[in-house]
Amino acid sequence: MTETNRLTEQSNGRGGKKNVQKNGYQNIKDYISDKIRSRQWPPGHLLPTETELATQFDCARATVNRALGELAEEQIIDRRRKAGSRVRDGRERKANLKILFPCREVEAMGMRHRYVSLSREVCALPTLLLGPDSTDGSQDCVQLAGIHYADEEPFQYEEAWIRKDLFPSLSIDDGRAVAPCLTLLQKNPFYHGSIRITVSKATQGEARYLGLRTGEPLLNKEYILTDGVGGTPVALMQLHYKPDYSIASAF
């Protein structure tokens, strides 16, 4: 018996099975969720098409689309164009990690932010900032290092590399010495990119800036910011945190 026939049988009440309620995207969503949680539809199972579900529940395809869309957002099913929807493998989940630049991160904790510049110099472009069409690192960038304070306590040590060709007004002699994130946001309030999280031992310099002992563990976040999705790399930011720093997310 096909999945469509099984749905029809249930909606007609044949075989002593429970009737399926019609209309309402929530009813459709609950029906699919129950099938998955009861393991009647195991991981990888192909769901009925939108048209089949719309016919079965006597509703518009937009209603079905909303139900499937929410299930996809909740990582219960995978939706692929022209390939249909399948039950996800629950052993793999995606977490939603909120990205906060240092100044905003401190303010979000209800603390006062202050940035102290340690160094600013011109250097060759790091390999990680080379675009797909670049062949060498002959282009210049501005390398910045500084400490972010939260209520006058060292919170984070930051090293940043910003492309000089994209920020021609950025100078090593700029007495204002604002935080790199503020310089970046003045040009573009919305960046894309990648994040890498690592753990390392504090060097002598990192330990001194953060009030730690050399060799104590650090949590590090590395951002590569791009101008648009898959666009030109704009900046590299390496953020170093004390051992008591933590990251929380939801999935």
Side-chain angles (χ1 to χ4, degrees):
M1 180 184 295
T2 66
E3 193 62 55
T4 301
N5 288 337
R6 283 197 294 270
L7 287 173
T8 303
E9 180 178 307
Q10 291 186 42
S11 63
N12 291 335
R14 294 198 298 267
K17 296 183 179 180
K18 182 179 179 180
N19 290 341
V20 176
Q21 294 181 350
K22 298 183 178 182
N23 306 314
Y25 86 96
Q26 189 63 51
N27 292 330
I28 302 172
K29 183 180 174 183
D30 290 344
Y31 173 80
I32 296 173
S33 297
D34 289 343
K35 285 286 190 180
I36 294 172
R37 290 192 171 91
S38 66
R39 308 294 290 185
Q40 295 180 60
W41 291 356
H45 179 84
L46 182 64
L47 273 64
T49 66
E50 287 188 15
T51 301
E52 290 172 338
L53 288 169
T55 299
Q56 179 57 41
F57 283 87
D58 192 20
C59 65
R61 283 188 59 181
T63 304
V64 176
N65 184 64
R66 181 180 178 184
L68 296 178
E70 288 196 4
L71 289 169
E73 288 181 5
E74 295 169 11
Q75 303 184 58
I76 295 174
I77 66 172
D78 270 326
R79 302 183 73 190
R80 297 186 184 277
R81 184 177 175 82
K82 297 183 179 180
S85 301
R86 292 184 180 273
V87 180
R88 280 184 63 99
D89 186 340
R91 296 174 297 177
E92 178 182 339
R93 304 282 284 175
K94 294 180 181 179
N96 298 313
L97 180 64
K98 181 180 291 187
I99 303 297
L100 297 177
F101 278 169
C103 48
R104 179 70 183 108
E105 187 172 17
V106 172
E107 294 169 353
M109 297 187 299
M111 298 182 177
R112 186 169 64 88
H113 173 263
R114 182 168 70 91
Y115 175 77
V116 174
S117 176
L118 298 173
S119 66
R120 298 162 67 91
E121 61 184 30
V122 175
C123 66
L125 201 65
T127 302
L128 290 174
L129 287 185
L130 292 177
D133 300 326
S134 300
T135 57
D136 58 56
S138 60
Q139 294 174 288
D140 289 337
C141 75
V142 177
Q143 181 180 0
L144 310 99
I147 306 173
H148 294 270
Y149 287 85
D151 284 351
E152 300 307 315
E153 285 291 326
F155 173 69
Q156 175 196 101
Y157 170 60
E158 176 183 13
E159 297 175 283
W161 292 260
I162 301 177
R163 292 178 61 116
K164 205 169 188 315
D165 59 331
L166 299 179
F167 292 81
S169 62
L170 184 59
S171 169
I172 61 173
D173 299 321
D174 191 346
R176 294 173 299 169
V178 299
C181 59
L182 297 179
T183 299
L184 292 164
L185 292 173
Q186 286 171 0
K187 181 179 178 64
N188 181 1
F190 300 104
Y191 288 98
H192 293 269
S194 62
I195 179 174
R196 186 169 69 103
I197 300 175
T198 61
V199 176
S200 64
K201 294 181 179 180
T203 64
Q204 186 175 7
E206 293 166 345
R208 181 172 71 253
Y209 299 141
L210 292 173
L212 304 172
R213 294 188 300 274
T214 300
E216 282 197 72
L218 295 179
L219 188 144
N220 313 298
K221 291 192 289 189
E222 179 182 87
Y223 295 128
I224 298 178
L225 305 181
T226 62
D227 188 6
V229 178
T232 302
V234 173
L236 167 65
M237 302 170 66
Q238 294 180 344
L239 316 176
H240 310 281
Y241 297 84
K242 297 179 179 181
D244 59 355
Y245 181 80
S246 63
I247 297 175
S249 184
F251 61 88

